[in-house]
Each structure stands twice: as structure tokens, then as C-alpha cells.
Amino acid sequence: MNNTFIKKFEGNVKKTINNYHLCAKNEKIIVACSGGKDSTVTLYLLHKFGYNMEALHLNLCMGGWSSESLDCVKEFCNENKIKLHIVSLREVLGASICFISSITETTLKMNQPAICGILKRYMLNKKSRMLKADKIATGHNLDDEVQNILMNFFKGNPYLSLNLGPITGINSNKKFVPRIKPLYFTKEKDVLKYALAKKLKICSKACPCSIGSFRVDIRKKMNELEKKNKRIKENIVLSFLKFKKEMTKNMELENETNICKMCGEPSRKDICNACRIVEAIKNKV
Ligand code: AMP
Ligand code: ZN
């Protein structure tokens, strides 16, 4: 039973990598590893499949949760002889996420999950580019993608979803390292089942940022609906991918990515969100 599940799970991930041309054996892949089940499984599988890969962990400096996550990633990479890079938010910005969001919540009207997402994307891209990576792999799974698509829809901005998909940023400016999601078609519950079956060292506590967010409500609702229609999540994602293909046919989407005037990183606006955050916390750290 376990063996059949493991084979099917691994086959599903291989199929996603091949069907969507996520990565090749001659490319350097940086796996963004939080210590949670999704990114640890991604790290484990890309290593098992023989890709040229290294791990990158961002220390968000959120007390005990961050140090536990860091220990998990360190132990996993040590055991599996995977090279690990660590970037600490306190070293880059001089403050923790909690401190930064306590300031930006009023000045920029951005909440902690938003700040966390912006800074993670910014630091991952910057460090991966420094490491001369061809691709950044993240642990996003099918459930995450469904939540992202629906959240953008509910916010009344479906165009934000044009940045989603199993592979993104492939033709954008050179400063942007393309991102891949090998677990794109695997359900969250199966990722956990796989991690447990393989006895992978994972940090099972959720990010303190995610508690109470709108995402949690959508997650619950989707799991309820899934009981009535097993393929509901795949169907949402596949419909979205068809829609995205049509939408981008006549759009030069990639040209929308410019360079931030302050830091030179890729940005849609003149000043990127990360720089707006840095400006807001200036003189306060
Ligand atoms: P999240 O935004 O927390 O749902 O995480 C989505 C993906 O981003 C994870 O699967 C990881 O690949 C990556 N990620 C999240 N947090 C970190 C972190 N602290 N360090 C490195 N990668 C991370
Ligand atoms: Zn910037």
C-alpha cells in the first residue's frame, strides 16, 4: 500500500516536471526550503531525481518558530549532504518580520502575511541570482495554488493570477530567476503522507503569520467541497491554466516587469514593494 502510494506520488511529480518543462539536469536549482513538509519533500525529490540543486533557507527571525525551522533544515541538509545557504532577515534589514510589520501596517497598510510574502520573494530572488541559479524551486502544492487563484478572484483582481502557474518568469528580465513548483499537482494531504512515509525530518508548526488569515477559510471550504467532488482542486487549476494561456496570448506580459529605481531588482512599479518597506522602517531600527 505504502509502496504503491510512494510510486504514484513520485510519478506525479516527475510528470509535472516533464510535462511543464520545469527544469533540466544541466541547470542549477535553488530549492527555497522553509523546513515545512512541502519544501522538504521538494528538496528530497529533486535530490533523489538527480538534479543539480542546493537549498536556501530564509531566517525570518520570528523567535522559537524560526530557530526550530532552521534546525530542521540544517539537520535535513546535513543528513542528505545537500549544500545549504542561509539568509537572515535581521542581517539584511536589521529587524524581524514582526517588528517590520508593526510599522508597515499603519504606514503602508500592508499586513504581516503580505509583508512576509514580499520580503521572502525579494530575498529568494536576490540570493538565488547571486548563486547563479537557473531556477528557484518552491514547495507550493495544489492546495496553495487553488487558494491563490480563488483569493485573487475574491479580491476582484483575477489578473494577479497571471503570475501563478507551475513555472513563471521564464521570459522576464534577466534579474528575475524563474520559479518552478514541482508539487503543483499534488495535494497537501498527500505531501504530508509522503513526508511521513519517508520519515523526513520536517517542522510541522505552521508559520505564525498564517493564523487567522482569509487563506485558512478558503482552505477549509475547499476541503469540504472536495468531499463531494474529488477532482475539484485539479479542475480549478486546469481551468485557470487554460484561461491563463488565452489571456496571455496577445499580451506581452513579460515586458510589464521593470527594474526598481532604488535597488535595481525586478518590479512592476517604479519603486518595488521591498524598497517601500525598507523606506518605511528607515531610522526606526
Ligand atoms: P509560504 O509562502 O509560507 O506558503 O511558502 C511557500 C514556499 O515558499 C515554501 O514551500 C518554500 O518553498 C518557500 N518558503 C517559505 N518560507 C521560506 C523560508 N523561510 N525560507 C526559504 N523558503 C521559504
Ligand atoms: Zn527596490
Side-chain angles (χ1 to χ4, degrees):
M1 156 66 180
N2 242 359
N3 267 348
T4 321
F5 167 76
I6 285 170
K7 268 196 184 152
K8 197 170 162 204
F9 184 90
E10 291 179 358
N12 194 11
V13 178
K14 271 189 191 160
K15 207 164 110 189
T16 305
I17 295 176
N18 294 334
N19 286 358
Y20 289 88
H21 310 290
L22 298 195
C23 49
K25 294 273 161 79
N26 62 354
E27 289 181 323
K28 178 171 178 179
I29 302 161
I30 293 293
V31 183
C33 202
S34 63
K37 62 181 187 321
D38 304 298
S39 50
T40 306
V41 167
T42 308
L43 192 60
Y44 175 81
L45 284 178
L46 290 182
H47 186 57
K48 182 173 179 182
F49 297 160
Y51 286 96
N52 168 19
M53 40 77 71
E54 291 171 5
L56 170 58
H57 177 74
L58 307 172
N59 183 354
L60 302 171
C61 309
M62 286 198 264
W65 179 78
S66 284
S67 44
E68 267 179 51
S69 309
L70 178 60
D71 288 346
C72 260
V73 178
K74 273 188 183 165
E75 201 179 316
F76 184 87
C77 289
N78 244 339
E79 269 174 20
N80 292 279
K81 300 194 173 36
I82 296 170
K83 188 165 181 180
L84 170 65
H85 305 271
I86 300 165
V87 176
S88 158
L89 190 66
R90 205 167 266 129
E91 278 160 31
V92 178
L93 292 184
S96 68
I97 284 274
C98 301
F99 182 79
I100 296 171
S101 57
S102 69
I103 292 168
T104 51
E105 250 162 29
T106 43
T107 51
L108 297 177
K109 306 267 178 290
M110 286 181 191
N111 59 20
Q112 188 154 319
I115 299 285
C116 199
I118 291 165
L119 293 178
K120 275 196 280 196
R121 274 193 299 277
Y122 174 83
M123 296 202 297
L124 276 181
N125 191 62
K126 196 166 181 173
K127 184 68 182 178
S128 301
R129 200 178 62 235
M130 278 168 63
L131 294 170
K132 300 198 176 357
D134 294 295
K135 303 272 167 63
I136 298 173
T138 60
H140 290 97
N141 59 42
L142 181 62
D143 292 66
D144 294 327
E145 190 77 350
V146 167
Q147 288 153 22
N148 289 333
I149 294 166
L150 293 181
M151 278 170 78
N152 290 337
F153 206 77
F154 294 158
K155 276 188 224 155
N157 199 349
Y159 295 102
L160 282 179
S161 296
L162 295 176
N163 277 334
L164 300 175
I167 178 161
T168 49
I170 206 76
N171 297 318
S172 36
N173 86 50
K174 275 194 230 134
K175 286 204 146 194
F176 193 82
V177 184
R179 282 156 189 260
I180 58 171
K181 300 172 187 165
L183 305 185
Y184 197 80
F185 286 103
T186 55
K187 291 182 185 175
E188 185 182 9
K189 67 173 178 3
D190 288 336
V191 180
L192 178 63
K193 195 170 160 186
Y194 182 85
L196 295 176
K198 286 281 178 182
K199 298 189 171 55
L200 302 184
K201 173 83 191 156
I202 54 169
C203 186
S204 46
K205 283 189 199 146
C207 167
C209 275
S210 63
I211 295 165
S213 68
F214 185 39
R215 178 179 292 280
V216 178
D217 299 337
I218 298 182
R219 183 172 179 243
K220 272 191 203 147
K221 201 77 213 160
M222 287 313 301
N223 285 337
E224 260 173 59
L225 293 172
E226 193 187 29
K227 288 182 190 145
K228 292 184 184 161
N229 177 355
K230 272 204 163 108
R231 286 194 53 86
I232 194 165
K233 293 172 184 167
E234 284 93 332
N235 289 346
I236 290 177
V237 160
L238 289 171
S239 304
F240 157 70
L241 290 177
K242 281 184 202 155
F243 169 76
K244 182 181 170 182
K245 206 170 168 186
E246 287 303 312
M247 293 271 300
T248 49
K249 241 182 210 166
N250 302 315
M251 258 174 102
E252 293 203 30
L253 219 212
E254 315 296 358
N255 290 345
E256 282 187 26
T257 317
N258 299 315
I259 292 281
C260 166
K261 282 187 180 148
M262 287 182 86
C263 69
E265 288 292 309
S267 167
R268 281 177 189 259
K269 303 173 197 150
D270 280 352
I271 309 288
C272 75
N273 279 330
C275 281
R276 289 171 61 214
I277 294 170
V278 172
E279 279 300 295
I281 61 167
K282 233 183 204 172
N283 309 321
K284 298 204 167 83
V285 290

